[in-house]
Amino acid sequence: MSINMNRLSPLILLVIVLLSCEELEVINPADPNYELKAPVLISTSSQADSAIVISWRNTDEYTREFQVNRNSDSSSYVTIALVQKDVLSYVDTSFITDVPYSYTVLSKVSENLSDNSNVLEIEVIFPVPSDLSLATIRDSEIQ
């Protein structure tokens, strides 16, 4: 029995290539089985009585968007914004003063969401006017 070396060489080469290849891990962050890392909330602060600024740090390189959630009192969280991956803060102007709010942020890729970030709370107190005065105009009128 003779072996044709011309036919055997490609076969040996193929076996060597297949055996020497390492298995590469494929990462698909849009896959619901991939666990996105939650962002870390850094701060919440108020700008007078008209805005709340929420800032966070991204912890997952595959994040495509951030979902900003808010709740008031004991209500469930409501999504108030979706922002792009390069935006690391959000300004909330749709709140009511003298109501405590909690904020959380999630990383998002397609429909895949991370767990909630840490929670930060803030309550913007309506400022008490400091320069009010009363003047009697008549016995029945005050200005």
Side-chain angles (χ1 to χ4, degrees):
M1 175 174 174
S2 71
I3 297 176
N4 183 343
M5 291 306 282
N6 289 336
R7 286 188 169 168
L8 193 56
S9 293
L11 183 59
I12 291 174
L13 182 61
L14 179 62
V15 168
I16 291 171
V17 167
L18 289 175
L19 292 176
S20 66
C21 289
E22 67 180 79
E23 188 175 324
L24 298 176
E25 181 182 1
V26 176
I27 297 175
N28 179 4
D31 180 350
N33 294 321
Y34 176 80
E35 286 190 39
L36 287 166
K37 296 175 191 155
V40 175
L41 281 177
I42 298 171
S43 67
T44 55
S45 60
S46 63
Q47 295 179 340
D49 62 343
S50 60
I52 296 174
V53 180
I54 305 104
S55 300
W56 59 88
R57 180 171 41 89
N58 185 9
T59 60
D60 196 298
E61 64 182 306
Y62 299 109
T63 298
R64 295 289 173 252
E65 291 180 300
F66 293 103
Q67 178 176 307
V68 181
N69 295 338
R70 175 183 77 191
N71 86 358
S72 58
D73 299 325
S74 61
S75 66
S76 59
Y77 280 94
V78 175
T79 300
I80 58 170
L82 286 173
V83 296
Q84 295 303 310
K85 67 179 179 179
D86 56 338
V87 177
L88 298 176
S89 65
Y90 176 74
V91 178
D92 184 3
T93 57
S94 63
F95 64 93
I96 300 170
T97 56
D98 301 316
V99 173
Y101 289 99
S102 297
Y103 291 89
T104 186
V105 178
L106 294 85
S107 293
K108 185 174 183 190
V109 175
S110 189
E111 296 304 312
N112 189 11
L113 290 171
S114 70
D115 289 336
N116 286 326
S117 67
N118 54 313
V119 175
L120 290 180
E121 298 175 349
I122 189 168
E123 180 176 356
V124 177
I125 306 298
F126 188 78
V128 177
S130 60
D131 59 347
L132 293 180
S133 62
L134 296 174
T136 305
I137 298 176
R138 291 187 200 105
D139 288 339
S140 62
E141 289 185 45
I142 298 176
Q143 178 180 16

